[in-house]
Amino acid sequence: MKALQISCLLVLWLFTTSVAAEPEARKQAAELDSILKKSLQEDGLQLGPIADDWTFVRRSYLRLAGRIPTVAEATAFAESAESDKRHQLIDDLLDSDEFVRPFYTHWANLLRLLTRLSNNGRSEPAGLAYEQWLKQRIRHDTPYDDFVRELVTASGDSWSDPAIGYYLRDSGMPLDNMALTTELFLGTSLVCAQCHDHPFEEWTQMDFYQMAAFTYGQTAGNRGREIFEELLPTKKRSKGRKEVAIPGVDLNRRDLRRVLNDATQPLQANSLRSTGRILRLPHDYQYDDAQPKAPVDAFPMTSPDIGSEGHQGSPEQFGAWLTSPDNPRFTQVAANRLWDYAFGAGLVEPVGAFKPIQQAQHPAVLAKLMELFQGNNFQQRKTLRALFHMELFRREAVAVDSLEKVAHQFEGPLLERLSAEEIWDSLLTLVIPETDFSHERDLAIRTRLADMQLRELAMENLDQAEVVALVRELAAKRAAEEKNVVRLKAQAAEARANKDKDRYRKLSRQVRDIQRDYEALVRQATFFDQLTEIDSDQWASRSGLGNVALTTLASLHNEGGEPMMGQQRGSALKHLQATLFPDDDEALQQRSSEAIASLQALAEEIVGDQRKGHAEREVSRFHRMTRDLRRASDMDTPARPGHFLREFGQSDRELISNESDEPSITQVLALLNSEVAGGLTHPLSALSRQLHGKTFEEQLEVSFLAFLGRPPRQAEREILLAGHDQEEVDFDRASLVRVLLNSREFLFVQ
């Protein structure tokens, strides 16, 4: 009874909190609108005309859900007679989990988030954990100052503190990381000051190095390598340094390092340690305030009284200063980015730049927004709620040349082209009826992180004798493998030169088989053989997954190593997923089976089965075409070069917000020929299902609503119907889809 009372109180609290937030947001919006209108009037301007319902609903879904509305969603909104429907739509979208998707993309672009944080792919688990962490912070509207502080003070392993991805992203480049940190959170570019005093700003090279000293000690680690080196015997080298020396293993340092890397590869680049190393000035430092190579004291570029005692600053000191309420740069840059996210341009341009508030487009508006942001406990979603409730968001968009954004007065939101992710996600809503596969990716990420934790425990369980024996075994195996691989590769090269394709393929397969066997040996020795020895209570405590019977995991392979050892990595992970998360895995399989069965029934209805097996073949073709289609936020990022997303300007995540909206010929080809675009006209696509059985005129209505979020205008209707009626013109449903897909209206947020 007591539990029921607590549950009821919790539900009531959540309901009243949500209801209370809406009037507060609208009040804040009204305050901002009032200041903006006054500022516009002083310049002889006013807000533009109110956008119609069709425009508003499409704009709202694109900004707050990252996709165009479905026909049903757009029609329901336009036909609603509720006077408050625009405010209600904003609240509904902001309260939905769909908001996480576009805002995650926004922050992934700012943080330059990569699924594979290093190019060799070994840090993929850390990248996945970092992605999941970011989505959770957005989902729970973590206060911005806490969010940033977690990033810059992160340390440990990717499963215990996923925010270490912020530093792993720039592993080995601590100075670059600090330069990008100041640009991202303080709107100050210190890149020039890495090499010399800034030519146009007040910052000196010493300022930059004093800032960098706070986080210089953050270093990517390899927990597996640390475990091994703690156990392996060593011998002294020159200058007091030590190196691993194993009796009976005749390997030079390079080859021994490679063997150790093989054994500990899964745990590489998935941890961060504070090493305490001291930053020194460069050898060519040329200013009078210090000598070259002198150690640098850690001091922030403002408020020097907060500096460290001695040379070694700490990330905690830096985080406290950076996110302090007394640091106006931090609040201004963040507030300006939120305004830009809502309306397409910042009150200060470029968006990431800090300028005196008097230089903002509407200084009083920015000052009020900063005040509200702080009053909202630095919660981004809460502050965005106020911005999207503004009259400004309900006005017609204003077309401004990209070079003139700095002069945009905000009579209305900026007319913008859809981002690569918005185009992709919008097309997905027209191809597949169910686009939410976040549960699938979340389960995959949890499995990868559990795998990493198991591997760490397995390696910690090794004693010195086992490690020495393991290294000896791997060294012998690697030496034999290398001789065979070199021989086979030489023969394969000869076969290729002789254009003997069959022999070349056969030899190439043999090389891959040797490499797979070696990898399987490593997995067996460092992982499977140790599973039964892991303490289940220790596993439960570390993983948070409960007291899973580890003997079940150990039984996943038999004496010959099957099925896990002998299979490729992806298959092994599937077995691990089914073992650790049986309920979730079963639900995933059930959902997949139900989707196939539903497709089969639909195919028999839409496609028909005049020819034996025709419906089944169409289901198979559609499944192959769409099985890997996922919302952009549920994909590895960035997409591979040449992918639809990259063609349309998805950021390569090399620089902050490096995405592009520039058009190109390849984009036209992608809209015509890509897999996702081709799926639009498949008879089982979400769009085709809505068009099935309708006259061409009815198809016009549905297609315009699907692509453009509005019904066709009378002139458009007459032109397209006339084209369809001409016998010599083959203007069918597929032609209509291509016309709308390539229209400017589809590609712009109006």
Side-chain angles (χ1 to χ4, degrees):
M1 183 67 183
K2 186 176 181 181
L4 179 61
Q5 290 175 334
I6 292 173
S7 298
C8 292
L9 287 171
L10 180 59
V11 170
L12 178 62
W13 177 79
L14 289 171
F15 174 76
T16 54
T17 301
S18 177
V19 170
E22 294 171 17
E24 181 184 6
R26 297 186 195 184
K27 179 183 176 182
Q28 293 177 354
E31 292 176 20
L32 290 168
D33 274 321
S34 176
I35 298 171
L36 176 61
K37 288 177 182 177
K38 182 179 178 182
S39 183
L40 286 171
Q41 287 172 358
E42 290 173 355
D43 293 329
L45 301 170
Q46 61 182 5
L47 290 177
I50 297 287
D52 62 46
D53 280 349
W54 298 110
T55 300
F56 181 82
V57 68
R58 190 173 191 267
R59 177 192 298 169
S60 298
Y61 270 90
L62 282 166
R63 275 289 164 264
L64 298 174
R67 62 171 176 85
I68 56 177
T70 64
V71 171
E73 289 165 340
T75 304
F77 178 82
E79 293 179 351
S80 171
E82 295 291 330
S83 60
D84 207 30
K85 65 182 183 181
R86 296 197 177 195
H87 287 299
Q88 190 59 52
L89 178 63
I90 294 299
D91 287 326
D92 288 346
L93 290 174
L94 277 169
D95 290 338
S96 75
D97 207 50
E98 281 213 81
F99 169 74
V100 175
R101 296 182 181 278
F103 206 53
Y104 160 77
T105 298
H106 168 73
W107 267 105
N109 287 337
L110 290 172
L111 294 171
R112 302 170 298 117
L113 188 146
L114 303 172
T115 300
R116 293 172 177 82
L117 287 169
S118 61
N119 290 333
N120 59 18
R122 291 172 178 170
S123 58
E124 183 176 359
L128 292 170
Y130 189 25
E131 170 194 318
Q132 191 179 53
W133 174 88
L134 176 57
K135 289 176 179 176
Q136 290 290 359
R137 293 304 177 272
I138 293 171
R139 184 170 288 114
H140 298 303
D141 202 12
T142 300
Y144 180 70
D145 52 344
D146 292 343
F147 165 77
V148 174
R149 196 158 42 244
E150 284 185 56
L151 285 172
V152 299
T153 62
S155 66
D157 301 311
S158 55
W159 46 88
S160 60
D161 190 352
I164 64 170
Y166 183 70
Y167 286 109
L168 294 181
R169 170 64 184 84
D170 299 312
S171 178
M173 301 184 293
L175 299 184
D176 290 331
N177 178 269
M178 177 53 71
L180 290 160
T181 296
T182 57
E183 180 181 347
L184 177 57
F185 299 122
L186 298 174
T188 302
S189 176
L190 294 182
V191 175
C192 289
Q194 287 190 56
C195 302
H196 50 75
D197 290 353
H198 202 294
F200 307 115
E201 302 287 347
E202 59 182 306
W203 313 117
T204 66
Q205 189 176 11
M206 179 62 80
D207 290 330
F208 173 79
Y209 271 79
Q210 288 177 333
M211 284 281 287
F214 282 110
T215 59
Y216 187 70
Q218 299 291 80
T219 306
N222 176 350
R223 177 58 184 146
R225 182 74 175 266
E226 292 170 5
I227 294 169
F228 273 41
E229 291 185 346
E230 287 171 4
L231 294 173
L232 289 171
T234 60
K235 66 179 181 181
K236 287 187 178 181
R237 288 179 59 202
S238 60
K239 299 182 180 179
R241 288 179 294 183
K242 295 181 179 181
E243 67 177 17
V244 173
I246 304 175
V249 178
D250 185 19
L251 290 175
N252 58 36
R253 287 199 302 273
R254 174 178 168 274
D255 290 337
L256 181 58
R257 186 165 57 248
R258 289 171 63 184
V259 168
L260 291 176
N261 284 341
D262 293 337
T264 62
Q265 185 271 337
L267 294 179
Q268 288 181 29
N270 283 283
S271 63
L272 187 76
R273 304 287 183 257
S274 293
T275 61
R277 63 179 178 177
I278 294 173
L279 177 62
R280 296 179 179 273
L281 291 171
H283 70 281
D284 56 352
Y285 188 76
Q286 56 184 322
Y287 300 103
D288 297 334
D289 53 354
Q291 295 296 315
K293 298 185 179 182
V296 181
D297 294 328
F299 285 106
M301 57 191 195
T302 60
S303 304
D305 53 307
I306 305 177
S308 69
E309 297 179 3
H311 303 308
Q312 187 179 340
S314 71
E316 289 72 24
Q317 285 178 311
F318 177 65
W321 167 79
L322 177 66
T323 61
S324 169
D326 299 325
N327 186 352
R329 291 175 175 272
F330 180 72
T331 305
Q332 178 185 312
V333 171
N336 192 48
R337 288 194 191 280
L338 292 176
W339 183 275
D340 170 69
Y341 185 80
F343 304 118
L347 290 163
V348 171
E349 283 287 339
V351 176
F354 175 86
K355 295 180 181 178
I357 200 167
Q358 296 80 6
Q359 294 181 25
Q361 193 59 258
H362 298 286
V365 175
L366 180 55
K368 185 64 179 178
L369 180 58
M370 292 170 63
E371 177 190 325
L372 293 176
F373 188 38
Q374 286 185 306
N376 288 337
N377 192 30
F378 288 101
Q379 289 178 279
Q380 295 183 92
R381 191 191 309 219
K382 187 174 183 180
T383 305
L384 282 172
R385 191 182 298 271
L387 294 179
F388 285 116
H389 275 306
M390 287 180 66
E391 280 188 55
L392 175 60
F393 188 70
R394 302 195 293 274
R395 302 293 172 146
E396 290 185 0
V398 178
V400 176
D401 186 276
S402 59
L403 297 177
E404 298 175 358
K405 285 176 69 173
V406 68
H408 182 38
Q409 293 281 6
F410 297 102
E411 301 98 316
L414 195 69
L415 177 70
E416 292 185 281
R417 202 187 83 158
L418 273 63
S419 68
E421 291 82 3
E422 287 168 340
I423 297 172
W424 174 264
D425 284 358
S426 294
L427 289 178
L428 253 62
T429 66
L430 300 172
V431 175
I432 50 180
E434 174 58 63
T435 62
D436 184 8
F437 291 92
S438 56
H439 59 287
E440 177 184 88
R441 186 167 183 84
D442 178 69
L443 182 57
I445 291 174
R446 283 188 285 146
T447 302
R448 289 299 303 273
L449 296 181
D451 175 61
M452 296 291 291
Q453 290 171 289
L454 274 170
R455 287 176 179 278
E456 182 180 56
L457 279 170
M459 290 185 186
E460 287 179 355
N461 188 60
L462 294 166
D463 60 27
Q464 186 180 64
E466 289 172 321
V467 171
V468 170
L470 173 62
V471 172
R472 283 176 177 164
E473 182 182 11
L474 293 181
K477 182 69 174 178
R478 178 179 254 284
E481 172 209 89
E482 283 195 350
K483 290 179 181 178
N484 287 332
V485 167
V486 169
R487 176 178 55 81
L488 290 170
K489 283 185 174 180
Q491 293 175 1
E494 182 181 351
R496 188 173 187 178
N498 294 332
K499 299 183 179 180
D500 188 344
K501 293 182 180 179
D502 291 339
R503 178 169 169 74
Y504 174 75
R505 281 194 290 265
K506 179 181 178 181
L507 291 166
S508 297
R509 279 196 300 271
Q510 289 178 7
V511 169
R512 289 193 296 271
D513 289 343
I514 289 174
Q515 292 170 338
R516 276 199 294 265
D517 288 345
Y518 178 73
E519 291 168 1
L521 172 66
V522 173
R523 288 200 300 271
Q524 183 75 28
T526 62
F527 184 42
F528 296 128
D529 288 348
Q530 311 304 321
L531 284 175
T532 55
E533 304 299 324
I534 295 175
D535 182 82
S536 57
D537 290 332
Q538 185 183 14
W539 158 249
S541 172
R542 185 172 299 190
S543 69
L545 294 176
N547 197 351
V548 176
L550 295 173
T551 52
T552 305
L553 289 173
S555 69
L556 286 175
H557 69 99
N558 57 28
E559 194 175 64
E562 292 290 347
M564 290 187 74
M565 177 184 162
Q567 291 184 342
Q568 294 187 16
R569 182 82 174 120
S571 299
L573 285 171
K574 287 181 180 179
H575 284 291
L576 188 62
Q577 176 175 293
T579 305
L580 293 180
F581 310 104
D583 293 341
D584 291 336
D585 185 70
E586 185 178 349
L588 193 65
Q589 302 305 321
Q590 179 68 22
R591 181 171 174 171
S592 177
S593 299
E594 290 174 355
I596 294 293
S598 175
L599 270 180
Q600 184 68 44
L602 192 66
E604 292 172 0
E605 175 190 343
I606 294 180
V607 179
D609 209 11
Q610 300 90 346
R611 300 190 303 277
K612 185 178 180 180
H614 180 54
E616 186 176 338
R617 284 193 295 274
E618 284 301 321
V619 168
S620 178
R621 187 166 74 92
F622 186 68
H623 180 64
R624 287 197 307 273
M625 185 182 293
T626 61
R627 64 187 172 192
D628 294 326
L629 295 183
R630 299 291 183 268
R631 295 285 293 270
S633 57
D634 291 332
M635 296 168 59
D636 288 355
T637 184
R640 66 183 185 279
H643 188 277
F644 184 99
L645 284 164
R646 295 295 295 275
E647 292 297 338
F648 276 86
Q650 182 191 42
S651 172
D652 59 10
R653 305 283 165 79
E654 292 299 321
L655 300 173
I656 295 172
S657 294
N658 199 31
E659 63 273 20
S660 170
D661 59 4
E662 291 297 317
S664 69
I665 295 297
T666 54
Q667 292 174 6
V668 176
L669 297 175
L671 287 175
L672 292 173
N673 303 317
S674 68
E675 202 165 61
V676 65
L680 290 170
T681 54
H682 190 281
L684 295 180
S685 74
L687 177 63
S688 294
R689 299 178 201 187
Q690 297 178 77
L691 300 178
H692 177 65
K694 290 182 169 58
T695 66
F696 186 76
E697 186 168 4
E698 291 170 334
Q699 290 178 2
L700 274 183
E701 187 83 13
V702 172
S703 297
F704 267 77
L705 286 169
F707 282 95
L708 308 183
R710 64 169 177 82
R713 302 184 181 98
Q714 186 59 34
E716 294 167 334
R717 193 188 306 272
E718 291 174 358
I719 291 171
L720 292 171
L721 285 174
H724 178 68
D725 292 339
Q726 293 180 30
E727 293 184 4
E728 66 274 13
V729 178
D730 185 20
F731 190 83
D732 56 5
R733 186 173 79 187
S735 301
L736 174 62
V737 166
R738 284 193 291 270
V739 167
L740 294 175
L741 179 60
N742 285 277
S743 66
R744 291 185 180 182
E745 190 172 347
F746 173 73
L747 293 173
F748 278 81
V749 187
Q750 299 191 64

